Amino acid sequence: MADEANERIVYVNGEFVPESAARISVFDRGFLFADAVYEVTSVLRGQLVENAPHLARLERSLSELKMTLPAVIVANGGLAGVEAVQRELVERNALEEGVVYLQVSRGTADRDFGFPAGSDPTLVMFTQQKSIIDSAAARNGIAVKTVDDIRWMRRDIKTVQLLAASLAKQAAMEEGFDDAWVCDGEIVNEASSANAYIVQDDGTIVTRHLGNEILHGITRAAVLKLCETHGYRVEERPFTVEEAYAAREAFITSASSFVYPVVRINDRVLGNGVPGPVAAELRKIYIDTALASLDA
């Protein structure tokens, strides 16, 4: 067994425990049915970044699936109690840069497709150390492969049903790409775990409009707000793979990457094959804004 004194501390149903001691039931519905939702919040300088909208989205996801927070969290302020646990995890693990992952399942009950009556939801959280600001993917850009989108039709709910996204990314990686762009026919929806954008020759940024087809990204919302305040024109509409091939730039956004430039789509190199100025500037603005908010 690992040395518990040097282990990462995780949170499971009201308790902070070493990761080797963490346990959930074999009958947990997150395990049996992927009946669970999750959120990932980035951490910079030991502080949570844009956590409030992540928790608001968590609340929406729970509502859409007729799920609640565990009683122990409700008794400690609901979403405020969730944030208190997140902050304590960051402190206990001395996390300066990385992410906090949280997952809520419908709870534990004997296996049956119908929702169980009276089961208390399961809540787990853990931290992951990750270099977010100093990133090779941000410096060099990434290559993406387009694949068919085989996910379920409520992609706006952030559930743990991630097998289709995992298969998409794995298929891309096996062919030497960094990520996948999942598509309905010729329409690009998003990346395997991020929102997708192109920059047209006139500087217009295009990204798919919100709906059930894509995740309503927290970083997406923040970046689009920055676009508005810094004079970038944005069109929220579907765009095609052919439009992406013809684009001047492309990029993705997510909580754990912020902004990553895309320099190749399938066999098409964008621009001169290096990160473009729009993606680079938006990444810088986002990071500067996030760090300033932590210092405020």
Side-chain angles (χ1 to χ4, degrees):
M1 180 178 292
D3 180 4
E4 290 190 359
N6 297 318
E7 281 190 78
R8 174 171 46 175
I9 300 300
V10 303
Y11 176 91
V12 182
N13 289 334
E15 296 184 344
F16 294 92
V17 296
E19 62 178 285
S20 65
R23 301 287 187 271
I24 63 169
S25 170
V26 69
F27 296 109
D28 188 88
R29 288 179 62 90
F31 171 65
L32 294 176
F33 295 104
D35 188 3
V37 299
Y38 76 102
E39 284 291 335
V40 179
T41 298
S42 57
V43 174
L44 295 178
R45 295 179 180 170
Q47 298 184 62
L48 301 168
V49 175
E50 289 196 297
N51 197 44
H54 280 285
L55 294 183
R57 186 173 62 184
L58 172 67
E59 188 172 48
R60 177 185 180 274
S61 294
L62 291 170
S63 176
E64 289 293 311
L65 297 182
K66 300 180 180 179
M67 201 182 295
T68 63
L69 289 168
V72 65
I73 290 294
V74 173
N76 285 282
L79 293 181
V82 172
E83 180 161 322
V85 174
Q86 291 173 302
R87 293 184 182 281
E88 186 163 350
L89 270 183
V90 169
E91 183 177 350
R92 284 179 180 239
N93 290 293
L95 183 67
E96 284 297 308
E97 187 167 325
V99 300
V100 178
Y101 176 93
L102 72 86
Q103 177 174 311
V104 183
S105 82
R106 201 176 301 276
T108 299
D110 207 1
R111 188 178 185 277
D112 191 6
F113 280 79
F115 294 170
S119 66
D120 193 37
T122 296
L123 173 61
V124 299
M125 297 190 209
F126 57 81
T127 60
Q128 289 181 307
Q129 192 168 13
K130 179 179 180 179
S131 180
I132 300 177
I133 293 179
D134 184 14
S135 165
R139 291 193 301 272
N140 303 325
I142 64 172
V144 300
K145 174 182 172 61
T146 59
V147 302
D148 290 336
D149 197 340
I150 61 172
R151 300 171 300 166
W152 77 319
M153 297 306 294
R154 287 305 308 274
R155 302 157 192 164
D156 57 305
I157 305 173
K158 198 171 178 68
T159 76
V160 299
Q161 299 180 68
L162 297 173
L163 181 57
S166 180
L167 289 170
K169 186 156 190 171
Q170 182 63 27
M173 292 172 64
E174 286 176 357
E175 294 189 28
F177 294 88
D178 302 293
D179 202 353
W181 274 10
V182 289
C183 306
D184 284 331
E186 284 297 304
I187 299 297
V188 176
N189 286 331
E190 54 189 339
S192 66
S193 57
N195 293 117
Y197 310 74
I198 59 173
V199 183
Q200 297 181 310
D201 282 340
D202 65 357
T204 300
I205 297 170
V206 182
T207 189
R208 207 186 201 295
H209 60 285
L210 294 180
N212 292 351
E213 299 85 1
I214 67 170
L215 182 68
H216 299 190
I218 302 305
T219 308
R220 174 190 184 278
V223 167
L224 292 188
K225 185 175 180 180
L226 291 173
C227 287
E228 181 181 350
T229 58
H230 287 79
Y232 287 101
R233 183 170 181 267
V234 175
E235 291 183 5
E236 294 183 69
R237 62 166 177 82
F239 64 87
T240 66
V241 176
E242 286 298 323
E243 283 184 279
Y245 287 158
R248 191 173 76 191
E249 292 183 46
F251 60 93
I252 63 171
T253 64
S254 74
S256 59
S257 64
F258 297 160
V259 179
Y260 278 174
V262 173
V263 296
R264 179 162 64 94
I265 303 170
N266 295 327
D267 61 350
R268 304 293 185 93
V269 174
L270 300 187
N272 57 4
V274 298
V278 173
E281 182 174 25
L282 287 176
R283 178 176 174 82
K284 182 179 185 305
I285 293 171
Y286 182 90
I287 291 172
D288 289 346
T289 302
L291 292 176
S293 71
L294 300 180
D295 295 334

